[in-house]
Amino acid sequence: MRFLLLLAVLGVCWAQYDPHTQPGRTSIVHLFEWRWDDIAQECERYLGPNGFGGVQISPPNENVVIHDPSRPWWERYQPISYKLCTRSGNEDEFRDMVKRCNNVGVHIYVDAVVNHMCGNGVNAGTSSTCGSYFNPGSRDFPSVPYSAWDFNDGKCRTNSGDVENYNDVYQVRDCRLVGLLDLALEKDYVRSKIAEYMNHLIDIGVAGFRIDASKHMWPGDMKAFLDKLKNLNTSWFPEGARPFIYQEVIDLGGEPIKSSDYFGNGRVTEFKYGAKLGTVLRKWNGEKMAYLKSWGEGWAFMPSDRALVFVDNHDNQRGHGAGGASILTFWDARLYKMGVGFMLAHPYGFTRVMSSFRWPRYFVNGKDINDWVGPPNENGRIKPVTINPDTTCGNDWVCEHRWHQIRNMVIFRNVVDGQPFTNWWDNGNNQVAFGRGNRGFIIFNNDDWELSSTLQTGLPAGTYCDVISGDKIDNQCTGIKIYVSGDGLAHFKISNTAEDPFIAIHVDAKLHTKLNDSNFQKQ
């Protein structure tokens, strides 16, 4: 009996780290600023069939409407109320999306903005996505309701009321982040209103939450409202399943607030991941891919079972957040595909793929002054995501998750799930390879000369389709073929000028043949 009780307690303790993706699905995608209707369609027509485990959505609650500049993306991070009413859609459309995505095995993770309300400089009125009245000056948000009693104005120790020094943990957690009205999360009323909002989303059927600006909340205050959350909806999740929690904490080292402060509440975003990987693939500061042999905890990252990892996110692809110019994005497509390919092949962390929209970049003194531009729209209404005949997206939606190289690496990660990191090889510079047990193998050439090597793959003998240059269709390869001999060896050749200078093979991309595998020889 004691043993069963211990197991139950351990299950509860670990529950918030489990993304609850269906078996065989190991990655999620951030469909940044997509409409709920488009996400529902994408779950059914693409994400479900291609093995994606879930979608991180943009904040679904009512936000301020910003006219100067015209409807920036960051208005979504200035709440007015917890009504489900944004330019992505209303509550009925939200419910329909959650149901349709869950029904095809793709779960929804909500970007929850609960550290603050809108900025203190916003004018009072009803310029919000649901038309609710609000008055930031008097701290009046009647649609929640919040009043002046519910904010940290009297607790902040700076003259401006904003965070001025990130080495002062009290400022970071008790003062306003860039003027955003900081909620008093030590108050049970505020905690209860946040939990009420999140529980409403759980009732609808979401699987978990990205907690925005977690660094600006005390971990104990977060635990208090997270402890008030319900178990997940049993229409789609097991009895007693707890919401998946991953917290946005920017920790590149050098500040007193650490990612580890938040491990008790759930997983944490590992911002060092994209910053360091970008530096390596750009070959800055003498970094080489050969050094990636110890990638993960060996690079002073957080433990793998606490990490939510990504190459870029909606902030740092615009130069905000962390990583600066080292961050790889869709603007650097060749290196970006290599970075995402490496992430999805490597076992460290729980992986999130980015899906973006284009904006007209304009640099002044090295800074993109158009980094505020919102999603493709007509008169403030988000444009639908259109699909081109080649399955890429139109209407200025980038849809990196639909690039066949990234889609196929999402599938690769599913195929090799649970397999060990094996058969590392490098040339001492920027040609590297590694396997995932006996189910997958990947090799990169980021040097300025051709790669030509015979390597141990660990895979069964046979002919494999490279899933980067093409696909396996009707037992044929549309791209490069790789021959693995009976002893697991295969020869690889990758030009340094190749559009995609990497090759990935896995057991589900192996051709069926009447020949006995022992007939294959080393190439």
Side-chain angles (χ1 to χ4, degrees):
M1 185 69 178
R2 276 185 195 167
F3 179 68
L4 291 175
L5 182 60
L6 177 61
L7 286 179
V9 170
L10 287 174
V12 169
C13 289
W14 281 86
Q16 70 270 35
Y17 310 104
D18 181 357
H20 305 295
T21 51
Q22 289 199 343
R25 298 174 185 262
T26 58
S27 300
I28 64 174
V29 58
H30 183 190
L31 299 181
F32 180 49
E33 286 277 18
W34 282 40
R35 304 182 315 162
W36 309 148
D37 285 348
D38 286 328
I39 293 175
Q41 290 183 65
E42 190 73 347
C43 286
E44 294 168 339
R45 70 193 171 195
Y46 193 85
L47 300 179
N50 285 294
F52 287 81
V55 177
Q56 178 183 309
I57 63 168
S58 292
N61 59 290
E62 182 179 18
N63 59 264
V64 66
V65 172
I66 303 290
H67 294 293
D68 184 20
S70 179
R71 304 304 300 272
W73 63 267
W74 44 258
E75 74 171 40
R76 298 289 287 262
Y77 292 85
Q78 298 207 30
I80 294 305
S81 78
Y82 299 131
K83 295 177 182 178
L84 302 183
C85 182
T86 66
R87 57 178 167 174
S88 286
N90 59 33
E91 179 163 340
D92 288 342
E93 291 163 328
F94 182 87
R95 287 176 176 273
D96 181 64
M97 170 192 67
V98 172
K99 179 180 179 180
R100 289 166 62 185
C101 289
N102 277 335
N103 284 346
V104 293
V106 182
H107 298 321
I108 299 297
Y109 305 89
V110 168
D111 196 348
V113 185
V114 295
N115 169 70
H116 55 262
M117 299 302 280
C118 71
N120 64 321
V122 177
N123 293 327
T126 57
S127 186
S128 56
T129 49
C130 278
S132 297
Y133 173 79
F134 62 99
N135 187 340
S138 61
R139 312 304 193 246
D140 186 22
F141 296 87
S143 291
V144 178
Y146 285 141
S147 68
W149 294 102
D150 301 316
F151 293 88
N152 272 333
D153 296 296
K155 198 174 181 184
C156 176
R157 302 178 180 181
T158 67
N159 291 328
S160 67
D162 291 350
V163 179
E164 297 173 0
N165 178 8
Y166 272 79
N167 287 309
D168 183 335
V169 297
Y170 294 95
Q171 282 190 35
V172 175
R173 289 167 170 162
D174 293 338
C175 298
R176 297 187 304 243
L177 168 64
V178 293
L180 298 164
L181 297 176
D182 201 62
L183 286 165
L185 285 161
E186 78 275 9
K187 296 188 176 182
D188 192 63
Y189 173 76
V190 175
R191 296 169 176 175
S192 295
K193 298 309 291 184
I194 290 170
E196 180 184 293
Y197 162 56
M198 296 173 75
N199 279 330
H200 182 47
L201 295 167
I202 289 170
D203 286 343
I204 290 171
V206 307
F209 303 90
R210 171 197 182 261
I211 311 293
D212 179 68
S214 294
K215 182 177 183 174
H216 297 274
M217 295 179 268
W218 293 93
D221 289 342
M222 292 186 65
K223 183 179 187 304
F225 70 71
L226 292 173
D227 283 349
K228 294 177 182 288
L229 299 187
K230 298 179 179 181
N231 294 335
L232 297 182
N233 189 319
T234 54
S235 296
W236 296 287
F237 301 98
E239 190 80 38
R242 298 293 295 161
F244 177 48
I245 302 297
Y246 54 107
Q247 303 154 95
E248 186 206 17
V249 180
I250 300 175
D251 174 15
L252 296 181
E255 292 180 15
I257 294 177
K258 304 297 181 188
S259 297
S260 56
D261 298 346
Y262 295 83
F263 287 169
N265 292 331
R267 290 193 185 239
V268 181
T269 51
E270 180 51 278
F271 276 88
K272 290 192 285 288
Y273 193 102
K276 294 292 188 182
L277 189 58
T279 300
V280 171
L281 289 176
R282 294 184 189 279
K283 296 184 274 193
W284 289 354
N285 305 330
E287 296 285 9
K288 301 175 181 180
M289 288 193 78
Y291 301 157
L292 297 176
K293 183 177 182 179
S294 60
W295 187 246
E297 289 95 336
W299 281 60
F301 296 170
M302 68 184 72
S304 179
D305 62 3
R306 293 295 184 269
L308 186 291
V309 300
F310 46 95
V311 172
D312 64 329
N313 79 344
H314 68 281
D315 274 318
N316 62 18
Q317 70 174 196
R318 291 165 169 76
H320 302 286
S326 75
I327 297 298
L328 298 171
T329 73
F330 68 88
W331 299 108
D332 311 292
R334 188 171 186 264
L335 287 178
Y336 186 72
K337 286 180 281 186
M338 291 177 68
V340 177
F342 183 90
M343 175 184 76
L344 292 170
H346 196 278
Y348 177 83
F350 182 70
T351 49
R352 181 183 66 198
V353 173
M354 183 66 195
S355 193
S356 317
F357 58 80
R358 289 181 187 83
W359 69 93
R361 293 200 294 178
Y362 188 73
F363 289 93
V364 175
N365 296 323
K367 184 183 185 321
D368 181 4
I369 62 171
N370 280 343
D371 60 5
W372 60 270
V373 173
N377 70 90
E378 290 177 333
N379 301 318
R381 294 177 60 84
I382 295 178
K383 287 184 179 180
V385 178
T386 55
I387 307 300
N388 300 321
D390 65 355
T391 77
T392 60
C393 294
N395 267 352
D396 282 328
W397 297 98
V398 180
C399 296
E400 299 96 312
H401 70 287
R402 277 180 167 263
W403 296 1
H404 79 267
Q405 301 90 340
I406 292 177
R407 173 200 70 208
N408 284 347
M409 286 308 301
V410 167
I411 295 169
F412 179 103
R413 190 174 189 82
N414 292 341
V415 172
V416 304
D417 185 33
Q419 294 292 306
F421 179 75
T422 53
N423 294 310
W424 175 269
W425 169 87
D426 67 70
N427 71 340
N429 284 289
N430 292 290
Q431 297 177 1
V432 305
F434 62 90
R436 294 295 304 278
N438 62 358
R439 295 187 63 80
F441 191 80
I442 191 165
I443 179 167
F444 298 85
N445 180 15
N446 199 31
D447 273 328
D448 296 328
W449 56 88
E450 183 177 82
L451 179 155
S452 182
S453 293
T454 298
L455 303 175
Q456 176 56 247
T457 67
L459 298 183
T463 304
Y464 292 78
C465 298
D466 167 36
V467 298
I468 303 305
S469 59
D471 296 288
K472 174 188 169 185
I473 298 176
D474 297 329
N475 205 39
Q476 297 291 326
C477 299
T478 64
I480 296 169
K481 291 181 181 179
I482 299 294
Y483 301 94
V484 176
S485 61
D487 55 6
L489 293 174
H491 186 76
F492 298 90
K493 183 177 285 189
I494 305 175
S495 168
N496 58 297
T497 61
E499 178 184 353
D500 297 314
F502 64 113
I503 290 172
I505 56 177
H506 59 76
V507 292
D508 284 3
K510 180 184 174 185
L511 299 183
H512 303 296
T513 176
K514 294 179 181 179
L515 292 175
N516 188 293
D517 284 345
S518 64
N519 291 334
F520 284 92
Q521 301 299 315
K522 286 191 291 183
Q523 301 296 309

